[in-house]
Amino acid sequence: MGKAIGIKCWITDFWQRGWHDLKPTGEQAARLFIDHWYPDCCIAILAGSAAQGRENDYSDLDLVIMDETVPRPYRRTYREFGRTIEAFVLNRASCPALFMVGITTVLPSLQRMVAEGVVLKDDGTAAEIREQARNDLAAGPFPWMEEEKEAARYRISEYLEDLSGSSDRGENLFIVQQLAELVTEFVLRANNQWLGEGKWALRMLQRYDASFSRSLIACLEDFYVRNDRRSLVRLVDNVLEPWGGRLAEGHIIYADADLEEGEGWGG
């Protein structure tokens, strides 16, 4: 009955305001979704652009839902109330292990959603979980191991050499894409910062060093718009310089002793 009343109130409200406003806001859609799909959850947190006031017509909704009735955590995509909704569903028992995955992979997406999101439903325990998420983020990732740093420097050096010696526009498009990802990761990891995926890679770089992120974007524009690779090569060389510059001769990559299909030397 509660679900029906909630949806009826939403329809009545938007009918009075006009059909052009029928699509609910992100938070309104999230509340309707929770009432409909997860009415027994103990905690619900709206994350992402909708929680930060940055949503647009194409923004999906990210929801962290803690529900003690689910036997194992899962992620499910829905299309409801005119929105694409990504639900990250877990229970209390699985939360510490999922947080640890974020720490070990240097991609604490769950902690970011929990710490920075808007609490929509709370049984009184959300504050404790959000505090743990904030503590994880504030502590930063484990130090970058020297062999990992050297391997990253080697890969970047390889792509720089490929880009400098290539005259194939198509190949260069792929090389530059890889370089942008690798140099972003290098700058963040070398300075003990968390990583991000997709648009979050840029956002994490902007949080750490807004000036450098602008320079990187300008160099990418030079290449994509004017087919000029020189500024990007200079920028990446400048990133590597404090760490010893380009790395090639003498670097060793050991093959995995227990090779499985698809594994090998890497790079």
Side-chain angles (χ1 to χ4, degrees):
M1 177 66 72
K3 288 184 274 187
I5 292 174
I7 295 173
K8 181 178 179 181
C9 289
W10 167 71
I11 292 175
T12 301
D13 177 53
F14 281 92
W15 175 272
Q16 292 171 347
R17 292 166 55 185
W19 283 109
H20 63 284
D21 287 329
L22 185 58
K23 185 176 181 179
T25 66
E27 182 172 333
Q28 288 169 333
R31 291 184 184 278
L32 291 167
F33 172 83
I34 293 163
D35 286 344
H36 182 72
W37 285 97
Y38 297 95
D40 298 322
C41 72
C42 50
I43 297 172
I45 300 173
L46 174 64
S49 56
Q52 298 167 3
R54 300 172 59 179
E55 67 175 309
N56 57 46
D57 290 341
Y58 300 96
S59 298
D60 59 3
L61 300 181
D62 295 322
L63 286 170
V64 178
I65 296 172
M66 192 161 291
D67 190 331
E68 294 305 302
T69 67
V70 300
R72 58 184 297 185
Y74 63 87
R75 172 181 176 174
R76 181 176 173 183
T77 303
Y78 299 81
R79 183 69 184 175
E80 293 282 359
F81 307 107
R83 304 272 184 166
T84 297
I85 300 174
E86 297 283 352
F88 300 82
V89 187
L90 62 153
N91 53 38
R92 284 189 178 85
S94 62
C95 191
L98 291 172
F99 275 7
M100 183 53 65
V101 170
I103 293 171
T104 56
T105 61
V106 202
L107 288 165
S109 302
L110 182 59
Q111 281 98 320
R112 275 199 290 263
M113 289 191 289
V114 170
E116 300 174 4
V118 176
V119 177
L120 302 182
K121 188 172 181 180
D122 184 7
D123 66 351
T125 62
E128 179 182 352
I129 296 170
R130 282 161 65 83
E131 180 68 16
Q132 181 59 59
R134 292 190 182 106
N135 289 341
D136 285 352
L137 294 174
F142 294 131
W144 209 12
M145 297 177 63
E146 190 62 28
E147 54 265 37
E148 294 177 317
K149 186 186 300 178
E150 293 296 274
R153 187 157 67 99
Y154 179 79
R155 289 193 67 199
I156 292 172
S157 301
E158 275 196 311
Y159 281 113
L160 281 173
E161 293 293 334
D162 287 344
L163 182 61
S164 298
S166 173
S167 58
D168 187 304
R169 172 69 172 172
E171 290 181 356
N172 289 345
L173 289 170
F174 283 83
I175 294 170
V176 168
Q177 176 189 345
Q178 287 293 312
L179 265 178
E181 294 176 2
L182 288 171
V183 75
T184 297
E185 180 175 340
F186 190 93
V187 169
L188 291 172
R189 290 294 284 121
N191 292 281
N192 201 38
Q193 300 295 309
W194 294 110
L195 301 179
E197 292 182 308
K199 63 188 179 184
W200 272 100
L202 176 61
R203 290 178 182 178
M204 297 308 295
L205 188 62
Q206 289 170 330
R207 286 186 185 186
Y208 169 66
D209 191 334
S211 177
F212 177 81
S213 66
R214 288 193 296 269
S215 296
L216 177 58
I217 291 171
C219 292
L220 293 174
E221 292 283 6
D222 282 344
F223 173 75
Y224 287 123
V225 176
R226 290 175 284 278
N227 199 30
D228 187 346
R229 72 194 82 178
R230 292 173 296 178
S231 63
L232 179 61
V233 172
R234 284 195 301 269
L235 180 74
V236 178
D237 273 329
N238 288 339
V239 168
L240 296 181
E241 195 275 332
W243 308 99
R246 298 191 193 189
L247 177 61
E249 183 178 356
H251 182 66
I252 300 174
I253 301 176
Y254 292 101
D256 193 330
D258 300 316
L259 290 177
E260 298 180 2
E261 185 178 354
E263 295 183 348
W265 304 105

